[in-house]
Structure formats: structure tokens, C-alpha cells
Amino acid sequence: MNLDEVPLGARRRASQLLENIRGTDMDPTKGHAALSGEVNAIFRPDLKDIAYFEFVVELGRERGRQVAISGRGEELKRTPARHGFIIASSDAHDHPVSHWSLDREPPSHQLSTAAKEKGAKVARLFKLDALSYAGEAENGEMIAQTGQLPMPIEGLLSDVDKMRGKISGTMARPGAASKDDEEASKEPHEVRNRGQRRQQTKIGSVGSWKELREIYGDAFGPLLVALKQQAAPAWEIENLVGEMGEGVMTGTSHKVALLEADASVEVSGDGAGLVKVEVMPTTETGGCVVLHVADEKLREEVSFDLLVSYRSGLQEHLRFFAVSPTTPSNTKPDSGMAEFEE
């Protein structure tokens, strides 16, 4: 899909993640990673619209970086990954960034390669579980997959919250001791249950990809609701940052990723005088803005805005506020912080 079709918030999250990890132990590329401009739409069977945006990351050719591992046993292969990926959710049904890697090929590339080996082409991508993806052909048939396809769980409670804190366990062990594990499977096992009465569940089965798509929402409904609940705090922070701004401590610097290489920046607001702006190139195709906030003691938090204008015509209006370690949290009128003071 075209980059201008991707919501600005998703682009911002992907770009900022890449900038935050650049040069850290989580960056195997030694700072060379950059968004390629390739974005792929990913769907989920229970949602009508696009569920995720997959941003393909160029890893560069730095020697000594980590490599992807594929195959098992004698077929184990170490293949240099040419691309990484960042998958951003389109809405609050999952975490703002649900999956990313800088040492594995993007799921879209993995599925496309598998489909080509069959002489086919992927028309739609689906994310089914944390590490499970499927590629669908134009005729609706699944032609490639990566990770294990989730199977429906029969007997799940409709509200998983009812089981929170009610821990139970089941242990199965051989009735007699054995010298090693080789013969353990031949011994009869005794099963012991403890804690709350265990839920009567079992793994179901499906006959086809079409059937899995049709029952997905009902079969995994409680788990999808739980996932949304787990992601809610992260989305709350995202919304608060958008509404009130992101805090930057005085005497520190904060990096803001640029979505495009050619950009001009302008700082305004009550706290603009505290901020020194530095535009830095990070790769051949990207860069970032470094906000250096003066080391001053503030009696109250002070807001400032960053306006980023790109040559393409795109604009971003980002909100921030400066605060010092000695600043009380309730000194600025209408700051929105009062609800966190109790």
C-alpha cells in the first residue's frame, strides 16, 4: 500500500520505535536500520478493516550483525536477513506496536517467498496470533503460513476476567522412577489436580482455512477481548501524550524521529526559550530532531510545540512539556495531571 494511505499515528509509532532503539543493544544493525517506505496491510479474520500496518525495515550491510536462523536439525541455516519489520496496530484491538524484529524477514516477505515456491501469489495477509501469519490467494485459499495456526479452544469462558486470580494446576508424572527420559513415556502416568476446579476445555479442529476464518471471532473471542484489555494502558498513554504532550526532563535531550528526510522544524510556546533544536541525519534516507532542554529548575511544567514540515507537504504538530525534578505535579492549571495525584 502507498505510504500516504497509512495513518500518521502508525507511521509515527514505527519511526519513533526505530529511533529509540538505534545504537542500543536491541539494534543488531549498529544504527544502520531505516524504514524502507514499503508498507503492507495486514488483516485479522474478526475485523472488517485493516488491523495492522507492516513497515519493512532496511537493515543495511554492516558486517558482524546478527543473522536469521531457519530450519531445524541438519537443515539449520544461518541466512543474513536483508530486512526487518515493525508491525503497528491500526486501533486499540492490540498493542500499539504488536510485533517487530530487526533480525528476521518481514512476515509478508516470508509468506511471499513460500507462495512463489508453489507458483502462487499472496493477495491478502492475516495475523492470527502473536507469531502466526497466513497468506491468502485471490481465490480465498491459504497458500502460505508462518508460525503455528491457532486451533479453536472449546469450553472457554465468555469472560476470562472471572478466572483471574483463580490459579489451578495439573501435573502428570510417571508412577515409577526411571533412569532416563527415554523409557518415561512407557510408564503409566498419574494425574494430580490442585487449586480451583479446572475448566473443561479441549482443542477443537477445523477442516479448512475458510472455516477457520469464519469461526475465528467466536472461537477466540474471550482471548481477543483479553488482548484488548491488556493493550488498553498503552493506548491510554498514547492518547494522553497526544492530548497533553510528552514530558521532557530539564537538563536532558529527547530524540524525535523524522518521517521523511527533508524537513524543517519550528519550536513555539511558553517553553520554546528553554529548547535548543538540533536536526541530525541518522541514515542516508532519514534523520531525527534532538530537543536539548536547558538545565533549569521550574516552578511549574512549561509547554512547547514542535511543528515539523516536510517537503512533501506533510506536517506534524507534536506537543511537549518541560519539567524539572523539583517541579510539583499540580502547579499548572488544567494540566490534566490532577487525576493521577491521589
Side-chain angles (χ1 to χ4, degrees):
M1 62 187 303
N2 295 327
L3 197 57
D4 56 10
E5 298 178 83
V6 181
L8 197 56
R11 292 180 63 181
R12 166 57 49 198
R13 293 198 299 275
S15 298
Q16 194 62 49
L17 170 64
L18 198 58
E19 202 56 53
N20 289 346
I21 65 174
R22 188 179 304 283
T24 69
D25 292 339
M26 293 186 289
D27 178 9
T29 72
K30 299 181 180 179
H32 292 267
L35 295 182
S36 68
E38 178 187 344
V39 184
N40 297 296
I42 299 180
F43 296 85
R44 206 173 75 178
D46 62 312
L47 301 175
K48 180 180 179 181
D49 298 322
I50 295 172
Y52 306 92
F53 300 97
E54 178 199 65
F55 295 84
V56 177
V57 179
E58 291 281 358
L59 299 182
R61 300 180 180 275
E62 183 70 13
R63 291 185 178 182
R65 65 177 173 82
Q66 296 180 12
V67 295
I69 300 174
S70 60
R72 293 184 178 181
E74 297 179 355
E75 300 178 358
L76 186 67
K77 298 179 181 179
R78 294 180 176 270
T79 307
R82 295 175 300 170
H83 304 92
F85 62 91
I86 298 172
I87 296 179
S89 300
S90 63
D91 208 340
H93 53 266
D94 203 337
H95 294 272
V97 173
S98 66
H99 191 192
W100 67 275
S101 175
L102 296 187
D103 57 11
R104 294 290 187 273
E105 289 289 332
S108 63
H109 290 197
Q110 297 178 43
L111 295 171
S112 177
T113 299
K116 286 180 180 178
E117 292 176 354
K118 302 176 182 179
K121 183 178 180 180
V122 174
R124 285 163 65 93
L125 305 171
F126 288 87
K127 188 175 191 296
L128 305 172
D129 205 347
L131 303 175
S132 177
Y133 298 85
E136 184 182 83
E138 198 67 55
N139 62 3
E141 294 294 328
M142 186 180 72
I143 54 172
Q145 71 176 81
T146 177
Q148 184 175 352
L149 291 181
M151 290 291 103
I153 303 174
E154 299 176 2
L156 277 179
L157 288 176
S158 59
D159 184 359
V160 293
D161 276 340
K162 292 181 179 179
M163 294 300 294
R164 294 192 187 279
K166 300 178 181 179
I167 299 175
S168 63
T170 299
M171 178 182 293
R173 60 184 179 184
S178 56
K179 295 182 179 180
D180 53 49
D181 292 341
E182 186 173 345
E183 300 295 325
S185 61
K186 299 178 181 179
E187 291 287 339
H189 282 54
E190 59 181 20
V191 178
R192 293 183 179 180
N193 299 308
R194 60 182 177 83
Q196 297 287 328
R197 182 174 62 86
R198 69 185 188 277
Q199 188 69 18
Q200 299 298 319
T201 61
K202 64 178 182 178
I203 302 298
S205 61
V206 292
S208 66
W209 162 245
K210 182 180 179 181
E211 182 183 350
L212 179 59
R213 278 194 58 180
E214 290 177 349
I215 69 170
Y216 184 90
D218 292 332
F220 302 105
L223 301 179
L224 296 174
V225 170
L227 174 61
K228 184 175 182 177
Q229 292 173 343
Q230 292 169 6
W235 281 103
E236 183 178 5
I237 293 173
E238 289 278 328
N239 295 332
L240 286 172
V241 168
E243 179 183 349
M244 297 188 297
E246 186 171 2
V248 184
M249 195 69 68
T250 56
T252 67
S253 298
H254 179 74
K255 293 194 301 182
V256 180
L258 293 176
L259 303 186
E260 299 174 7
D262 296 327
S264 63
V265 298
E266 178 184 350
V267 177
S268 62
D270 296 340
L274 296 172
V275 183
K276 178 183 177 182
V277 179
E278 181 183 9
V279 180
M280 295 179 56
T282 52
T283 64
E284 294 181 0
T285 58
C288 73
V289 176
V290 184
L291 304 175
H292 303 281
V293 181
D295 189 6
E296 295 187 14
K297 293 183 178 180
L298 303 176
R299 297 179 60 184
E300 62 181 31
E301 59 188 67
V302 183
S303 300
F304 62 93
D305 297 337
L306 179 67
L307 178 63
V308 186
S309 301
Y310 301 96
R311 180 169 293 185
S312 65
L314 178 68
Q315 281 193 335
E316 285 190 286
H317 185 187
L318 306 174
R319 296 178 175 178
F320 298 89
F321 60 89
V323 63
S324 61
T326 57
T327 306
S329 62
N330 60 348
T331 57
K332 183 178 178 182
D334 302 322
S335 66
M337 298 300 291
E339 60 185 291
F340 299 105
E341 290 167 12
E342 294 184 355

